[in-house]
């Protein structure tokens, strides 16, 4: 079984995933916009909403695919689940690179225009560890085990 992370944004999915693509490399497996939905009764999207991302996926390594969508206000209203930035406050994506150079690269790239909560540094548990919130409000932890 593969565990993948699914993120939600409020109109910034494409920008976030172009940024993540610059960090991790790779090509999008899927990129579907709300405008690709078949015309259905009751779904009347503005041109702005039609351009938003309904689903996108980016492999970040051979085991993990990062996925996301823009929250659509019409669908939130139908499910009575409004989107609030920060409702992922206690969720972080943890990256475990096997090499220190890769850990530094990922941490530096993801923290661009973001907020560093804990700088990437050696810890008492024998790892190179740091925590940050990226420019899109997603929390990341980088934890690279050090050779003993």
């Amino acid at each position: 079984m593969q565990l993948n992370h699914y993120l939600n944004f409020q109109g910034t999915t494409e920008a976030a995933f172009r940024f993540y693509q610059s960090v991790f490399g790779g090509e999008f497996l899927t990129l579907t916009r709300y405008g690709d939905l078949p015309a259905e009764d009751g779904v009347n999207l503005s041109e702005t909403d039609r351009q938003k991302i309904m689903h996108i996926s980016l492999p970040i390594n051979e085991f993990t695919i990062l996925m996301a969508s823009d929250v659509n206000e019409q669908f939130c209203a139908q499910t009575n689940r409004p989107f609030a930035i920060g409702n992922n406050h206690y969720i972080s994506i943890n990256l475990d690179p096997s090499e220190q150079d890769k850990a530094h690269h990922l941490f530096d790239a993801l923290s661009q225009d973001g907020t560093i909560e804990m700088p990437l540094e050696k810890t008492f548990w024998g790892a190179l560890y740091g925590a940050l919130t990226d420019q899109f409000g997603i929390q990341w932890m980088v934890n690279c085990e050090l050779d003993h």
Side-chain angles (χ1 to χ4, degrees), residues 45-92:
L45 299 173
S46 69
E47 187 54 37
T48 300
D49 284 344
R50 292 177 54 74
Q51 292 305 311
K52 290 180 180 176
I53 303 296
M54 186 174 85
H55 177 74
I56 191 168
S57 59
L58 176 68
I60 62 171
N61 63 34
E62 64 181 301
F63 306 107
T64 307
I65 300 172
L66 192 59
M67 302 175 184
S69 65
D70 284 314
V71 174
N72 180 293
E73 297 304 323
Q74 286 185 35
F75 300 136
C76 285
Q78 290 172 355
T79 61
N80 199 26
R81 291 177 49 194
F83 179 78
I85 294 174
N87 64 0
N88 61 345
H89 182 69
Y90 295 106
I91 304 282
S92 295

